Amino acid sequence: SLGARERARAAVRGIFAEAEKGPGVAVVLVGRPYAALSEAMGKGIADILVRDGTEVWYSDMLPERGSEVLADIEPLLETFHWRYAAEVLEAADFCARHDRFYPVFVTSFKCSPDSFALEWFRKILDAAGKPYLVLQIDDHDSNVGYETRVEAGLRSFRNHFARAVAASADSGARRPREREDGGPTIVSSAGGSSPDVDAREKRVLLPNWDPFVSPLIAAGMRGVGIDAQVLSENEETIRRAMGGNTGQCIPVNIIAEACASRVEADGLDPAATILWMLDSQWPCNIALYSAYIKNRLETRGGGLERLKVHGTDLTFMAFGPRATIAAFHAFTAGGTLRKIACRTRPYELVQGSTDALVERAFRIFKRALEAGGGIGGAYEEALSPFLDLEISERNRPQVAIFGDFYARDNDVLNQGLVRSIEKAGGEVVTSTYTDYLRSTIDPHFRRLLVDRRYGQWAVHKTALAVVGAVEQALSLRSSSIFGKPRSWHNPGYLERLDLFGIKPDQEGESFDNILEIFRVLSDHPELSLFVQASPAFCCPSIITEAMSKEIERVTGVPVVSITYDGTGTFRNDAVEPYLAFGRRRSRTVAAKADLR
């Protein structure tokens, strides 16, 4: 029971309370228990330490510490919603403050959450001048290799401890149990979503995750008085970004590099600049993006440490209701433009005619959003010409792209995935961000109520009411293009999740991917292929990829998973065999019934 567990833990901490005063070097083993304590997966590292005669403690044996002691890292701990990552940072802070304790961090090869924790683990201990050992385990290294590194680490710990004891003896000072100044100042790196940021007095930089939507969001923000600009990246930006990657999701490195490059190239004043980032409480690393980027900029220096990183959700309610309305139009206009382009370009009779209309429509939307007034009339002006575009019969296999937003929609990172599919003979089916919200909004509100996050529930309900009213007015004005507004509810989503054994209390990108897959299939029952676009080191993407066979079994549609690793190696040729030889897969009647 939980009670028995807590009693056992209290007993262990009671033992530690006496051991805390002991002499000599002691090691605190930190890391996820299945990595640090498992004899097989952990390569016997704990046993190597014990055989050496070293006093070893695991991180959950450390004593409870009051909020006044943890004050320096409390903002950082609140940012990390991974339990074991938070334990790693608490253990690092403990060792930084206690002379005789030295941490050994055991982490799995390219574990993305651990890679974020490792940044601050090192920062905490480097600021205290305390040595530490990081052991990254994989299936290639032998126990002998780890034993050599452990021996070197212990030698470093003992030398450092001996010097500290000698220095204390020379000064005649008593060696303290816990130094009040042992923790580094890291609060500035703990995040950047402080509510006191006045965006109207700053230059706001936006990540370029979508070449249609991101510039239109920036235009809409300019329309409400915020000086917003979009970052840009190319293959060289991505290669430079990968130089600082130690296992983090690739987009966060790209955004950090693009931000730093933009500030330096344009001579921007970092103190008058804000980088906007998506903030999310998903069980994913997105919640750490703001803090990680802030840390990277501080490390880079040159004034970049003065740049603020400001996180909000996709409603942009933090910038006011007018910004929310403008963001809705940006998502709707940009997503619709991409959807129409993909539906039309493969069948155009005059090559280049679709792209010309897309560029014209984009300029109309951008101009209307920058003006800051109503943009209802811009939709008909921008999109009506597509109705008159001459096209051939639509007979290509339909290919739906889903997955991580940045990998799905950023044409640089995904190496022009849409064009690659079209070149291989397919027609791309895309989803707008409002389509995505329609698929996931019901479980989102349910989860907020279950978690008693009533304030956030009220804010998001307000944002949805605003969006719904704007959408209704837009549909009435441009009915020839949009028709009637679609429902913001997703009935039957629990049954669809149950087909994969997914519980409604779960959440995250893989959860949402399943809901999005069913929504796409309901709109495109003749779909031939799913393409999952993922950045390297993205944990949810790996989970979804592992579900690909089950997705094909339930839906009858095969899944091709493409991972972009930042090396520049072309990946999109993976779709060609499916489009060449697997044109239209039939699905069973039962599978079709499940999708309705």
Side-chain angles (χ1 to χ4, degrees), residues 78-107:
E78 291 176 359
T79 301
F80 276 81
H81 53 199
W82 300 117
R83 170 191 164 187
Y84 292 125
E87 282 189 6
V88 165
L89 300 181
E90 284 195 55
D93 184 70
F94 177 88
C95 292
R97 296 173 181 273
H98 287 72
D99 286 356
R100 68 182 294 255
F101 292 98
Y102 295 81
V104 174
F105 185 7
V106 181
T107 177

Side-chain angles (χ1 to χ4, degrees), residues 304-315:
L304 289 169
E305 65 277 5
R306 294 182 290 129
L307 186 146
K308 292 186 180 295
V309 184
H310 189 53
T312 74
D313 59 33
L314 281 176
T315 67

Side-chain angles (χ1 to χ4, degrees), residues 414-416 420 564 567-574 576:
N414 70 27
Q415 303 172 327
S420 297
Y564 302 98
T567 64
T569 304
F570 190 66
R571 304 293 182 186
N572 295 341
D573 50 7
E576 294 178 4

Side-chain angles (χ1 to χ4, degrees), residues 121-143:
F121 174 84
R122 286 174 168 150
K123 189 168 186 175
I124 290 168
L125 292 158
D126 287 344
K130 196 75 176 283
Y132 52 88
L133 179 61
V134 177
L135 297 173
Q136 191 174 72
I137 57 176
D138 57 34
D139 287 336
H140 301 292
D141 287 342
S142 67
N143 289 45

Side-chain angles (χ1 to χ4, degrees), residues 168-204:
S168 296
D170 290 343
S171 65
R174 178 178 177 271
R175 180 165 56 87
R177 287 178 52 197
E178 177 158 349
R179 302 195 307 276
E180 292 301 323
D181 62 345
T185 302
I186 58 169
V187 175
S188 62
S189 295
S193 56
S194 54
D196 59 341
V197 175
D198 187 352
R200 297 181 189 278
E201 298 178 359
K202 309 282 186 179
R203 166 73 59 86
V204 177

